Amino acid sequence: MLTRAITGFFFIAVLIGAILLGQYSFVVFFSLLGTWCLFEFYGMVKSVVVRPHIIVGLVTAAVLGSLVSLYCLGIIPLNMVWLFLPLFSAVFIVSLFQKHAQPFHDIAYTFLGVIYASFPFLFFLSLGFIKGEYNPYIPLGFMLILWSNDTGAYLAGRSFGKRKLFERISPNKTWEGFIGGIVLAFFVALNLAQYFGSLQKWEWATMAIIIGVFGTLGDLVESMLKRSLGVKDSGKILPGHGGLLDRFDGLLIAAPLVFIFLLLIQ
């Protein structure tokens, strides 16, 4: 528990620092984060039968993250982001030169990793620029709401949890915890409206509901992935916590939906 607490403290400090230090540290940190999570995904699914094209996939994620970052920073126009597409074609071409029994399994898992583990970070990265210029309080508020949801779910689940949410996937999660997480996230979001500004109170509250519902589902999806592969953690980079993918599983589904919500109401 001590190792877990120390690791969590320093990791949260680094994450908050990357957001608040400015737009350059923000885009670099979360672009790299998305690429590392993809690396962990490939490490989990790689087997004798499935051999994702790790190098091509990681290069694709890194290039796409760089292009989106440069666009958000106003350095390149939007149409240049599409320069990553030839790398998608490379995934198919590489398979022609490898003598694997089921090449399309390799191709499918390569693309799945990019879409599942890397793309969501680009949407989260874009949240910082949803207003046209860099605003650290929107992505920071997202993370605070996500952490509040996890905390509320844990406390409510431990105190009142009886009805299982998805027992076959995550035996410890309960409906009471699910509701408790959303409630705490909702109240934290209302306070963010007061101290952070940037969005109206109803917008923060709606963000909290989206994150509370789909952040929990994202957690369950990653649990389903690990259970199907027979692994406990996505990695070992965070002592006491596992991998980065384990820590950001709630973001993977929630971040694109929050981005779409804020984009539509602008």
Side-chain angles (χ1 to χ4, degrees):
M1 288 299 295
L2 179 61
T3 301
R4 184 180 178 87
I6 294 173
T7 302
F9 173 80
F10 282 104
F11 179 67
I12 290 174
V14 170
L15 190 150
I16 293 176
I19 296 174
L20 294 180
L21 283 175
Q23 57 184 359
Y24 294 103
S25 63
F26 174 68
V27 298
V28 170
F29 182 79
F30 282 96
S31 295
L32 292 175
L33 205 59
T35 304
W36 185 269
C37 286
L38 177 60
F39 175 74
E40 290 185 346
F41 175 87
Y42 286 151
M44 284 194 295
V45 302
K46 183 180 178 182
S47 67
V48 176
V49 178
V50 177
R51 301 179 186 177
H53 304 311
I54 297 176
I55 295 178
V56 179
L58 292 176
V59 170
T60 300
V63 170
L64 182 56
S66 300
L67 292 172
V68 171
S69 297
L70 292 173
Y71 165 70
C72 289
L73 295 171
I75 298 175
I76 63 172
L78 179 60
N79 58 2
M80 290 194 68
V81 175
W82 295 105
L83 290 174
F84 80 93
L85 282 178
L87 291 170
F88 268 39
S89 301
V91 176
F92 294 94
I93 296 171
V94 166
S95 294
L96 292 174
F97 296 92
Q98 295 180 332
K99 298 178 181 180
H100 294 176
Q102 298 175 315
F104 272 86
H105 283 193
D106 306 337
I107 293 169
Y109 274 99
T110 303
F111 283 129
L112 176 61
V114 174
I115 295 169
Y116 171 69
S118 180
F119 270 17
F121 285 93
L122 302 182
F123 288 99
F124 179 78
L125 189 153
S126 299
L127 286 176
F129 301 86
I130 195 76
K131 294 287 187 177
E133 58 183 20
Y134 182 57
N135 183 336
Y137 296 108
I138 295 177
L140 179 57
F142 180 103
M143 295 307 304
L144 292 175
I145 293 172
L146 184 63
W147 294 333
S148 300
N149 178 68
D150 291 341
T151 302
Y154 175 78
L155 294 176
R158 286 291 299 269
S159 302
F160 313 108
K162 293 181 180 179
R163 300 169 182 83
K164 300 298 183 181
L165 185 60
F166 275 96
E167 187 171 8
R168 65 183 177 84
I169 295 174
S170 184
N172 294 326
K173 282 187 168 50
T174 63
W175 279 102
E176 291 82 2
F178 176 64
I179 295 170
I182 295 175
V183 170
L184 183 57
F186 184 84
F187 281 107
V188 168
L190 295 181
N191 283 282
L192 293 179
Q194 179 180 353
Y195 293 105
F196 280 10
S198 305
L199 300 173
Q200 297 181 41
K201 186 174 290 188
W202 73 271
E203 294 172 331
W204 281 114
T206 305
M207 270 184 63
I209 295 173
I210 295 173
I211 293 170
V213 173
F214 293 98
T216 302
L217 293 175
D219 189 341
L220 288 166
V221 167
E222 206 235 355
S223 295
M224 179 174 63
L225 171 65
K226 291 189 294 185
R227 187 173 289 272
S228 67
L229 296 171
V231 298
K232 182 180 179 182
D233 297 316
S234 65
K236 299 180 180 179
I237 192 171
L238 299 174
H241 289 266
L244 290 176
L245 195 59
D246 296 322
R247 301 281 62 83
F248 289 96
D249 49 11
L251 177 148
L252 299 180
I253 293 181
L257 297 177
V258 169
F259 174 79
I260 291 171
F261 162 68
L262 293 179
L263 188 66
L264 290 175
I265 65 173
Q266 295 304 309

